[in-house]
Amino acid sequence: MMRRKLPSLSALRTFEALARTLSFTKAAAELGVTQAAVSRQIKNLETELAVELVSRKSGKNSLTDAGDLLFGGVYKAFDTMEAVIDRITDSGGREILNVSVAPYFSSQWLTPRLMTFVQQHPEIDLRLHHSYHPADHRRENIDIGINWGSGVWPGAEKTKVLDGALVPVASPAFAASVSGALTPRSLVDQPLFYEFDLQHWRLWFETQGVTAPAMLKAQRLSDSHALRRAAIDGHGIALFFASLIEEDVVAGRLVRLFEDAVHVGYDYYLNYSRDAELPRKAKAFRRFILAESGVS
């Protein structure tokens, strides 16, 4: 059998690092070489393949169509090699599993369950990277994620694991302090808080048959923990994750002012790249999450 005629592994590794980071500086730092060496390797690779792979523009690099096609193949090949090497060396060291996870989901839902996974898989070191947005799995070295969003993520396999609907919540003291009956319409005059988009409050009012005023007043707190704290401390009414407040409701820290939640098109999805085979460690984590969330 004839040996395949391929560019050098070093050149392909350099290209993979550059294509993933889109930065000659970052690729050089990752590979432990100079920026000039990276540039030289890419130029030689382009000459050998007789095609431009990287469009070099001031302040921004991008892949050409040929570069993007090569990156897909090279990324998959390196990922496959890494998975095989992981399997070979499993007995000799611990595996590192990088997980992108929405921050509040991480603290309220995932963290209380993590010790079960750790006990089941003591050979895996779990590293959590907090982000609502799903990772670019090829460029960010993330194995798997649980993120809140629309689920319309090109190149990602996904499974819904928790509903992302939002519901108005407040402290019992705040609810009791409101004069008169608390109705959906009366909420317009109360201090309102939200995390992502003022439109979400408007959508909730619409579900209640209330037309919110054009100048609806609400304060954005772009952090779930801060939003929850503002509600618990009695500062007003927060539009919050309905699926993640049960503990606070049971403990008497928060009350759901109305049972009706609004679904804004976002949910929590387990997600990973469809371009490469999941490594064993990520498959174990996926099985665990699906079992814990009751998804078959």
Side-chain angles (χ1 to χ4, degrees), residues 60-264:
K60 185 177 182 180
N61 300 306
S62 61
L63 298 181
T64 64
D65 289 344
D68 196 57
L69 184 62
L70 179 61
F71 179 42
V74 169
Y75 177 84
K76 184 180 293 186
F78 276 109
D79 198 71
T80 299
M81 286 190 288
E82 186 178 66
V84 171
I85 292 171
D86 281 347
R87 290 178 61 186
I88 293 172
T89 59
D90 266 355
S91 60
R94 296 172 62 78
E95 299 178 87
I96 296 173
L97 178 64
N98 288 294
V99 180
S100 169
V101 59
Y104 196 73
F105 178 94
S106 176
S107 65
Q108 288 297 109
W109 193 94
L110 182 59
T111 300
R113 295 167 168 81
L114 274 185
M115 284 311 300
T116 300
F117 180 79
V118 170
Q119 291 165 1
Q120 292 174 352
H121 300 279
E123 77 284 3
I124 296 176
D125 278 337
L126 197 60
R127 297 186 181 177
L128 304 181
H129 306 263
H130 288 162
S131 175
Y132 277 111
H133 304 291
D136 183 330
H137 295 276
R138 295 195 304 182
R139 289 190 166 91
E140 297 180 45
N141 194 31
I142 295 295
D143 298 299
I144 197 166
I146 307 173
N147 307 99
W148 188 74
S150 66
V152 183
W153 302 322
E157 292 289 346
K158 58 199 179 290
T159 303
K160 178 179 172 180
V161 294
L162 194 69
D163 189 82
L166 306 171
V167 67
V169 298
S171 69
F174 181 89
S177 71
V178 176
S179 60
L182 195 60
T183 66
R185 188 174 301 277
S186 71
L187 257 62
V188 171
D189 300 318
Q190 301 300 325
L192 304 178
F193 298 93
Y194 67 98
E195 182 173 1
F196 302 103
D197 192 330
L198 180 60
Q199 182 65 14
H200 296 166
W201 262 119
R202 295 187 183 280
L203 290 173
W204 183 84
F205 281 117
E206 284 181 15
T207 67
Q208 304 302 304
V210 176
T211 300
M215 297 299 290
L216 177 65
K217 294 181 180 180
Q219 177 69 45
R220 184 183 182 192
L221 297 175
S222 58
D223 176 86
S224 299
H225 294 281
L227 183 63
R228 169 181 174 269
R229 191 77 248 175
I232 288 176
D233 290 347
H235 295 295
I237 302 168
L239 195 61
F240 207 75
F241 303 112
S243 298
L244 293 174
I245 61 164
E246 183 178 354
E247 183 179 324
D248 285 328
V249 171
V250 171
R253 291 184 289 264
L254 290 172
V255 292
R256 287 181 66 147
L257 301 181
F258 304 93
E259 283 305 308
D260 292 335
V262 61
H263 195 280
V264 298

Side-chain angles (χ1 to χ4, degrees), residues 24 28 33-42:
F24 284 85
V33 299
T34 65
Q35 186 175 334
V38 172
S39 182
R40 186 166 54 252
Q41 284 269 37
I42 298 302

